[in-house]
Amino acid sequence: MDIGLVLQTDPPADLLVERMVRAEERGFTHGWTFDSVVLWQEPFVIYSRILERTERLVVGPMVTNPGTRAWEVTASLFATLNDMYGNRTVCGIGRGDSAMRVAGRRPATLARLAQAMTAIKDLAEGREADVDGASLRIPWVRDGALPMWMGAYGPKALDLVGRRADGFILQLADPYLTEWMVKAVRASAVEAGRDPDDVKVCVAAPAYVTDGSVEGRAHAREQCRWFGGMVGNHVADLVARYGEHSDMVPQELTDYIKAREGYDYSHHGRVDNPDTEFVPDAIVDRFCLIGTAEEHLEKMERLRAAGVDQFAVYAMHDDVDGVIDAYGRDIIPAVS
């Protein structure tokens, strides 16, 4: 199993770059960042620094979207980085949550997302693509490669992943829900005439390594509770679309948001988010990796059995360097 690291592009950028270098030295294979340029700094500028300082690390957004940049701009950004540093980028993409909503826009439709995925990949790999009715090609691209990994939760999005994406990004680490969603993606891949094993699976969630004490576990939960609020924001969209008791969305995913009252994007993805008080301890434990290194490894084996190829550590808490080091010392040697 590959292990990735996910960071927010908070200033100073130098610190993020140093942490990505540290991650590669400890065996991490992927370096991901958020892509919400009002809330955080522009990631593609920072990717260039990371790639310059590393040798093998694959970098990309978790996730970008079809709306905040023109598709040919996004494709050219990836293609330029690949031309400079070898094909070491990956495009994580979704409909757009914080990046779009903070700017007062609605997330893209799945139809729009599907068009963008095809166009960005084709352009970045040197093929001709249709961009809003215009036929475009980037003439200087040679031997480009851009894996297209899509974030999804709902049934229609999971179907699109299986039919069109190179990889599936699932932002929660619950083995039961992971298995349910991976099966849906693979079924759609088969229906589309694809080899389901060609669709790679990345589970992304906060990880916090503790000493196993009650106090340590309680502190870790508080540091990771924000994640349940972020996931709840996506789940609320699913409930609005499909209903609270729809057979198309697992009840385990919808029950916990009943006490949810709202969401303030100014605290998106942050430990101090006040809109996460509704998230119970049980959901934090299910959605995140919390506990001793042995507990992390046990849960990773369950995720691997569910079809996961990569676990990406959301390191948005008070022990970023500690979790990088703990994973490099105790986790990565055991799973890679």
Side-chain angles (χ1 to χ4, degrees):
M1 182 185 290
D2 286 339
I3 302 296
L5 177 67
V6 191
L7 298 174
Q8 294 164 336
T9 53
D10 280 319
D14 284 348
L15 178 59
L16 185 149
V17 173
E18 291 299 332
R19 282 173 165 162
M20 290 297 186
V21 171
R22 184 190 193 107
E24 183 185 67
E25 291 172 348
R26 283 151 181 76
F28 286 74
T29 60
H30 289 69
W32 304 87
T33 75
F34 283 19
D35 179 17
S36 189
V37 297
V38 173
L39 296 177
W40 299 289
Q41 292 184 329
E42 168 55 51
F44 283 91
V45 177
I46 299 171
Y47 295 156
S48 188
R49 289 282 310 282
I50 296 170
L51 290 166
E52 184 179 37
R53 293 282 309 279
T54 57
E55 296 178 0
R56 300 171 304 280
L57 200 71
V58 175
V59 305
M62 188 179 282
V63 294
T64 192
N65 67 85
T68 53
R69 299 181 184 87
W71 302 347
E72 66 270 26
V73 172
T74 301
S76 186
L77 286 166
F78 281 113
T80 301
L81 292 172
N82 285 337
D83 187 65
M84 293 171 69
Y85 301 105
N87 290 322
R88 291 170 53 202
T89 65
V90 56
C91 181
I93 194 168
R95 294 176 57 222
D97 181 34
S98 63
M100 295 293 283
R101 296 185 204 263
V102 165
R105 308 181 190 124
R106 295 175 60 85
T109 64
L110 287 176
R112 183 76 173 164
L113 175 57
Q115 293 169 351
M117 287 167 59
T118 298
I120 292 168
K121 181 177 178 67
D122 283 347
L123 288 170
E125 295 184 344
R127 294 183 295 276
E128 190 173 277
D130 179 274
V131 179
D132 292 330
S135 182
L136 302 178
R137 188 175 73 85
I138 301 176
W140 48 263
V141 174
R142 298 290 184 271
D143 302 318
L146 182 63
M148 187 66 60
W149 292 33
M150 178 181 155
Y153 291 105
K156 291 183 179 179
L158 295 171
D159 180 65
L160 178 57
V161 171
R163 293 179 181 277
R164 303 284 284 276
D166 299 309
F168 169 38
I169 295 172
L170 174 60
Q171 294 175 327
L172 55 81
D174 178 82
Y176 170 79
L177 291 171
T178 298
E179 183 179 14
W180 188 92
M181 294 186 186
V182 170
K183 284 181 177 178
V185 167
R186 287 178 169 168
S188 293
V190 171
E191 288 179 4
R194 306 178 67 193
D195 183 343
D197 291 334
D198 287 344
V199 183
K200 301 304 179 184
V201 178
C202 174
V203 159
Y208 202 108
V209 182
T210 73
D211 59 6
S213 67
V214 173
E215 295 80 8
R217 194 177 303 274
H219 177 75
R221 286 192 183 115
E222 291 310 310
Q223 289 293 306
C224 298
R225 198 175 304 277
W226 63 267
F227 183 69
M230 188 180 81
V231 173
N233 201 48
H234 296 287
V235 175
D237 284 347
L238 296 180
V239 170
R241 178 178 293 270
Y242 297 107
E244 185 177 328
H245 302 292
S246 170
D247 292 337
M248 301 180 75
V249 183
Q251 186 173 344
E252 290 85 352
L253 193 59
T254 59
D255 277 351
Y256 86 97
I257 69 162
K258 291 178 180 177
R260 178 183 181 273
E261 295 181 353
Y263 194 81
D264 180 355
Y265 276 92
S266 66
H267 299 277
H268 186 62
R270 297 195 183 279
V271 172
D272 62 354
N273 192 329
D275 295 323
T276 59
E277 295 178 357
F278 73 94
V279 181
D281 287 352
I283 285 294
V284 180
D285 290 347
R286 286 186 66 170
F287 285 9
C288 306
L289 271 70
I290 288 173
T292 63
E294 290 74 19
E295 289 175 293
H296 285 239
L297 287 169
E298 188 276 333
K299 193 165 190 178
M300 280 193 189
E301 284 305 314
R302 295 172 63 197
L303 291 170
R304 191 204 301 266
V308 175
D309 301 290
Q310 179 185 159
F311 175 66
V313 176
Y314 270 154
M316 294 89 177
H317 48 55
D318 64 359
D319 194 27
V320 176
D321 294 326
V323 78
I324 292 172
D325 291 344
Y327 262 65
R329 181 183 63 246
D330 301 323
I331 308 295
I332 292 174
V335 300
S336 31

